[in-house]
């Protein structure tokens, strides 16, 4: 049995929700801490609200493929509840889902929201966070992705302080107000998943 620390993560959402920003923070933090990183992305008409997925693999050892096999993901981190369920077949039996409860309703037959959340909450290890409300509380409704990153922080290999460092790197050039809103969003997400 290997003692190599590794983690396979599916990042899921729709265009405009900041999936690739989440990937940047986790990738950068993992690289700083000495992990090997591989990432693959799928953009489905992202500018029009299509699905955006990233396969993110972290390991102390060399990684040979950038794709996570079905049944191989340790974590699904989603900014949209329907997108979280879309990738369930990638999750390990003991894997975890961290998802927003806030839907992005971009199709006419979007499933019943209460039923959708019930299906997620019965899964072992699921964490459901109202990223919309927490992002607004942080001062920016656009910071839902940072709320979800904070909600997942305790389950990620990179340390929380390293993740915060790269939240700063990502947002500091956008001005103090946006940076502070995202740091607060990270903290509110972290507290919500405790």
């Amino acid at each position: 049995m290997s003692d190599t620390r590794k983690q396979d993560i599916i990042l899921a959402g729709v265009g405009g929700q900041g999936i690739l920003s989440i990937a940047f923070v986790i990738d950068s933090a993992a690289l700083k801490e000495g992990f090997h990183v591989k990432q693959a992305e799928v953009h489905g008409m992202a500018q029009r609200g299509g699905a955006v997925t990233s396969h993110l693999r972290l390991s102390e050892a060399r990684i040979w493929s950038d794709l996570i096999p079905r049944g191989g993901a340790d974590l699904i981190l989603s900014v949209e509840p329907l997108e979280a369920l879309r990738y369930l077949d990638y999750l390990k039996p003991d894997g975890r889902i961290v998802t927003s409860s806030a839907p992005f309703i971009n199709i006419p037959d979007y499933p019943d929201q209460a039923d959708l959340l019930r299906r997620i909450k019965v899964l072992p290890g699921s964490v459901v966070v109202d990223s919309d409300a927490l992002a607004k509380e942080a001062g920016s409704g656009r910071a839902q992705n940072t709320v979800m990153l904070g909600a997942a922080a305790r389950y990620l290999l990179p340390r929380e302080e390293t993740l915060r460092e790269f939240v700063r790197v990502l947002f500091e050039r956008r001005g103090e107000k946006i940076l502070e809103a995202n740091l607060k969003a990270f903290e509110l997400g972290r507290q919500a998943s405790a």
Side-chain angles (χ1 to χ4, degrees):
M1 184 173 200
S2 172
D3 290 334
T4 301
R5 292 191 306 156
K6 67 180 198 70
Q7 188 169 50
D8 290 336
I9 306 162
I10 299 282
L11 303 177
V14 298
Q17 288 192 306
I19 298 304
L20 301 183
S21 295
I22 294 174
F24 166 81
V25 172
I26 297 173
D27 287 352
S28 301
L31 287 168
K32 181 172 183 178
E33 293 186 8
F35 290 99
H36 295 265
V37 173
K38 288 266 188 188
Q39 180 183 344
E41 301 161 4
V42 176
H43 307 242
M45 298 293 283
Q47 301 258 329
R48 297 184 180 184
V52 177
T53 309
S54 181
H55 287 218
L56 187 54
R57 309 188 82 183
L58 319 175
S59 177
E60 291 178 323
R62 186 170 179 178
I63 304 166
W64 296 98
S65 171
D66 53 0
L67 295 178
I68 300 168
R70 292 184 192 278
D74 299 290
L75 174 67
I76 294 174
L77 171 53
S78 179
V79 187
E80 208 289 322
L82 181 57
E83 293 301 318
L85 286 178
R86 187 187 306 270
Y87 300 100
L88 266 186
D89 57 340
Y90 281 92
L91 195 63
K92 286 180 176 175
D94 62 344
R96 178 177 300 278
I97 293 178
V98 178
T99 186
S100 170
S101 61
F104 187 97
I105 301 175
N106 57 353
I107 53 175
D109 56 346
Y110 192 93
D112 177 75
Q113 294 175 46
D115 181 55
L116 195 63
L117 294 178
R118 255 192 312 275
R119 291 174 56 194
I120 293 171
K121 289 178 179 177
V122 299
L123 298 168
S126 66
V127 175
V128 179
V129 173
D130 186 347
S131 64
D132 183 46
L134 294 177
K136 288 174 181 167
E137 183 181 336
S140 172
R142 295 178 55 101
Q144 289 190 51
N145 60 338
T146 311
V147 169
M148 295 314 304
L149 177 63
R154 72 184 60 241
Y155 308 112
L156 296 170
L157 281 180
R159 294 187 303 266
E160 289 181 16
E161 58 266 28
T162 313
L163 293 168
R164 270 191 208 88
E165 177 184 338
F166 285 97
V167 169
R168 284 185 178 281
V169 169
L170 182 62
F171 291 106
E172 65 187 355
R173 66 175 181 250
R174 298 181 190 175
E176 189 66 24
K177 186 176 176 184
I178 292 175
L179 173 60
E180 290 307 317
N182 277 278
L183 289 171
K184 186 173 181 184
F186 182 93
E187 182 59 24
L188 290 173
R190 195 188 65 76
Q191 292 172 6
S193 72

